[in-house]
Amino acid sequence: MSLFADIRRRLDLRPAKSLNLAGSPARLAPEASSSGQPCGRRDPHGTAGTDHSAYLAIAEALRDGADVVPASDETGRRLAADGVSLVEALDGLSALYRSIAGGEPAFAAVRALSSSWAEASLVYLHSLSCEDPLTGLSSLAHLRSRLGELYREADFRGTSVPQTHALVVVEPLNPAGTSPFDRELRLVDVAECLRIVFCGGDVLGRVGSRRAAALVGREPNLPEQVATVRALITQWRLDTDVPQLARIWIEGLPGTDAMAGRLLDELARP
């Protein structure tokens, strides 16, 4: 019995329910906020924009003739947490100074706000998962890091990464007019199919906005595994008779880590 036939036999034992994760939270469209505006980005009059209340501490320090550095430091952290860009944050600081002090911000205030904004932003970036939150696929950075480990290990052992590993690349072929959200849902389906076939220690990553890739060992049954992935993706959606088409191919790896990084960059291009 082929690998695909065995997988299909086991999947046929599941309840008669779509395998496309339609009932999972990841497949639901994001709910709009009741106000229709981004959280934390509303000015005192209700129009979208930088939250002016974040600057109240600086305004009070200016009116009282107090040191503006502590207030600017706290304001920078708050604006970064609210998703305000540094340019917007500095524009708001400049507007505040002009309205109260009649001039441009003091260097100490600009430095304190910028430094705290950058520090808060770095903390956020360092806390991000190495996985794409919707598809569960590893990020491109994580895939690149794992490739680097393979090349260093190959140098140490005297082996060749192109001979031991390869990339299985999947690009869903979406009809013209497919919405960005539906494209994301197709990648969720692709990720599930890859997990079924490559369920060992293989790295499954997202490569750009349109493709997924599995970093796998060059085992003798790799062609059969690729055929199984293709068959699963084609028949994954049980709620439609239209086959879900995708380009699937085995991408050979180059001889060096640097060239592998360039290959990933090329695959990530739209």
Side-chain angles (χ1 to χ4, degrees):
M1 177 182 296
S2 69
L3 177 60
F4 174 63
D6 180 59
I7 290 175
R8 292 298 299 179
R9 181 183 61 81
R10 284 181 285 165
L11 291 179
D12 286 341
L13 297 178
R14 60 177 169 43
K17 180 181 179 182
S18 173
L19 286 175
N20 61 6
L21 302 184
S24 68
R27 302 301 306 270
L28 301 179
E31 295 183 1
S33 63
S34 58
S35 63
Q37 301 291 346
C39 296
R41 300 296 305 283
R42 177 181 294 276
D43 68 20
H45 301 290
T47 54
T50 303
D51 185 358
H52 293 171
S53 64
Y55 294 89
L56 288 179
I58 301 178
E60 292 175 359
L62 284 174
R63 294 191 180 101
D64 296 342
D67 185 5
V68 297
V69 170
S72 300
D73 182 84
E74 179 58 28
T75 297
R77 296 181 190 280
R78 177 174 174 181
L79 291 174
D82 286 345
V84 178
S85 72
L86 181 58
V87 171
E88 291 177 301
L90 292 177
D91 285 346
L93 181 66
S94 180
L96 176 69
Y97 261 78
R98 286 196 299 270
S99 65
I100 296 179
E104 290 301 314
F107 174 78
V110 173
R111 180 177 181 178
L113 186 147
S114 301
S115 298
S116 61
W117 183 96
E119 181 180 346
S121 298
L122 283 176
V123 170
Y124 169 74
L125 291 174
H126 291 163
S127 68
L128 290 176
S129 170
C130 64
E131 292 185 351
D132 177 61
L134 180 62
T135 63
L137 294 169
S138 296
S139 65
L140 183 61
H142 180 68
L143 184 58
R144 193 188 305 270
S145 176
R146 179 59 185 135
L147 265 174
E149 293 175 358
L150 286 178
Y151 279 93
R152 289 190 294 273
E153 184 177 319
D155 288 341
F156 178 76
R157 298 181 180 274
T159 57
S160 170
V161 173
Q163 294 179 2
T164 60
H165 289 79
L167 290 172
V168 175
V169 184
V170 182
E171 178 184 341
L173 299 179
N174 297 296
T178 302
S179 68
F181 184 69
D182 286 334
R183 291 177 186 271
E184 290 295 305
L185 298 188
R186 285 295 312 279
L187 276 179
V188 173
D189 291 341
V190 166
E192 288 301 308
C193 294
L194 286 172
R195 288 191 191 96
I196 290 174
V197 178
F198 302 109
C199 54
D202 305 303
V203 178
L204 310 180
R206 178 165 184 164
V207 187
S209 61
R210 300 188 305 164
R211 300 184 180 107
L215 176 58
V216 302
R218 280 192 175 275
E219 302 296 336
N221 66 334
L222 181 57
E224 182 183 355
Q225 290 177 310
V226 172
T228 301
V229 171
R230 179 178 288 106
L232 282 175
I233 291 175
T234 301
Q235 303 180 29
W236 189 250
R237 297 291 297 273
L238 301 184
D239 55 352
T240 177
D241 293 330
V242 179
Q244 306 299 297
L245 303 179
R247 290 181 59 214
I248 306 173
W249 71 93
I250 299 175
E251 184 76 42
L253 292 170
T256 66
D257 185 15
M259 293 178 65
R262 296 192 191 104
L263 172 62
L264 288 180
D265 292 337
E266 287 297 321
L267 290 174
R269 294 182 187 276

